């Protein structure tokens, strides 16, 4: 069966520091991969999606970037964090048909 | 533009009582509809989904949902709530794109509390 893991689960970072959140999917090949953010009072927002290695699409302009160096690996990064980057970040995947999205456990980011 | 409305921010029910969480959507075509549940500090777990066919869909944990096109609704129901059902519930509409990826539009969520 397919599984998705993301880490770290919790992160406290100072303003201006870099960020790297990592996500991997097991048990499937060529998944579509997604990064969502859940910020207080702002619901769930799609940040990035990827349909293949090296293919990244951004949904909203922001201080973050994403990369997909391997088929089942998706990384969320920032060079300099802002206070507004705080939130709960969720990695997700969908299979060949693409119509059902499955989420990881999430990563809590607090920028102080 | 697509949108999802969950009119109830908070709902409190007694354990053993029935539950209905409301969801209304705005979408130009036949939508893909989903309900997800999120326990505190956890990711989202898929409860059920509707793509086509029978408008009453069964999900995990005893939940079901009914798609009503005329009302643009996809309400979630459970006949008897358990204390472990306390969580936040999200309705979402999915839009498929060529390339096989899906963009989900989420409602704001309904937080369910269960009294013993």
């Amino acid at each position: 069966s397919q599984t998705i893991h993301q880490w770290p689960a919790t992160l406290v970072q100072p303003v201006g520091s870099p960020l790297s959140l990592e996500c991997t999917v097991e048990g499937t090949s060529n998944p579509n991969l997604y990064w969502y953010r859940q910020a207080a009072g702002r619901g769930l927002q799609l940040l990035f999606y990827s349909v293949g290695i090296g293919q990244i699409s951004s949904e909203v302009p922001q201080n973050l970037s994403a990369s997909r160096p391997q088929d089942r690996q998706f990384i969320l990064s920032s060079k300099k964090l802002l206070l507004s980057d705080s939130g709960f970040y969720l990695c997700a995947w969908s299979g060949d048909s693409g119509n059902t999205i499955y989420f990881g456990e999430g990563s809590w980011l607090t920028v102080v | 533009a697509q949108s999802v409305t969950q009119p109830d921010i908070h709902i409190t029910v007694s354990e053993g009582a029935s539950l209905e969480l409301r969801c209304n959507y705005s979408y130009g075509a036949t939508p893909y509809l989903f309900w997800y549940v999120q326990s505190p500090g956890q990711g989202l777990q898929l409860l059920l989904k509707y793509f086509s066919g029978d408008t009453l869909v069964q999900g995990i944990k005893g939940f079901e949902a009914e798609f009503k096109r005329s009302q643009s609704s996809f309400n979630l129901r459970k006949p008897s709530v358990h204390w472990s059902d306390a969580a936040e519930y999200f309705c979402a509409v999915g839009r498929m794109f060529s390339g096989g990826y899906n963009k989900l539009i989420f409602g704001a969520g309904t937080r369910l509390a269960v009294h013993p």
Side-chain angles (χ1 to χ4, degrees):
Chain A
S1 63
Q2 301 87 4
T3 57
I4 178 170
H5 298 289
Q6 60 179 106
W7 66 94
T10 305
L11 200 58
V12 180
Q13 292 286 95
V15 169
S17 65
L19 170 73
S20 180
L21 299 179
E22 190 165 339
C23 170
T24 59
V25 180
E26 300 293 334
T28 187
S29 59
N30 196 32
N32 296 317
L33 297 173
Y34 310 82
W35 279 110
Y36 281 81
R37 177 169 60 197
Q38 189 176 26
R42 294 175 59 183
L44 283 145
Q45 182 181 39
L46 177 62
L47 301 178
F48 301 95
Y49 64 89
S50 171
V51 299
I53 295 174
Q55 301 178 62
I56 309 295
S57 296
S58 174
E59 282 294 289
V60 293
Q62 57 208 317
N63 185 44
L64 302 168
S65 62
S67 61
R68 186 171 176 174
Q70 301 180 45
D71 181 46
R72 292 169 291 152
Q73 184 184 28
F74 205 25
I75 297 172
L76 184 69
S77 304
S78 174
K79 292 182 178 178
K80 291 185 178 181
L81 284 168
L82 306 172
L83 287 173
S84 59
D85 292 324
S86 294
F88 191 49
Y89 289 83
L90 290 152
C91 182
W93 71 276
S94 62
D96 289 344
S97 65
N99 51 26
T100 302
I101 293 180
Y102 301 93
F103 287 83
E105 310 95 334
S107 297
W108 282 103
L109 171 65
T110 303
V111 182
V112 296
Chain B
Q2 303 87 29
S3 65
V4 178
T5 301
Q6 294 180 246
D8 305 305
I9 298 175
H10 296 279
I11 285 184
T12 301
V13 300
S14 298
E15 191 170 15
S18 63
L19 172 70
E20 182 170 28
L21 302 182
R22 295 182 291 164
C23 173
N24 293 96
Y25 66 90
S26 172
Y27 190 71
T30 300
Y32 292 170
L33 295 163
F34 305 85
W35 275 99
Y36 289 88
V37 61
Q38 184 179 34
S39 298
Q42 302 295 313
L44 273 70
Q45 182 181 22
L46 179 68
L47 283 176
L48 46 79
K49 59 188 178 184
Y50 172 79
F51 295 157
S52 64
D54 192 346
T55 57
L56 183 64
V57 294
Q58 303 297 321
I60 62 171
K61 304 185 178 186
F63 285 93
E64 66 178 26
E66 186 171 11
F67 170 59
K68 293 185 177 180
R69 184 188 301 276
S70 61
Q71 298 177 21
S72 297
S73 69
F74 189 55
N75 294 349
L76 182 72
R77 301 194 294 249
K78 187 170 184 177
S80 177
V81 171
H82 188 262
W83 64 266
S84 60
D85 293 324
E88 189 154 22
Y89 292 79
F90 292 93
C91 180
V93 61
R95 179 182 174 187
M96 292 298 302
F97 290 81
S98 60
Y101 62 92
N102 184 352
K103 291 186 182 181
L104 289 177
I105 304 297
F106 284 90
T110 297
R111 187 169 297 277
L112 174 66
V114 180
H115 280 329

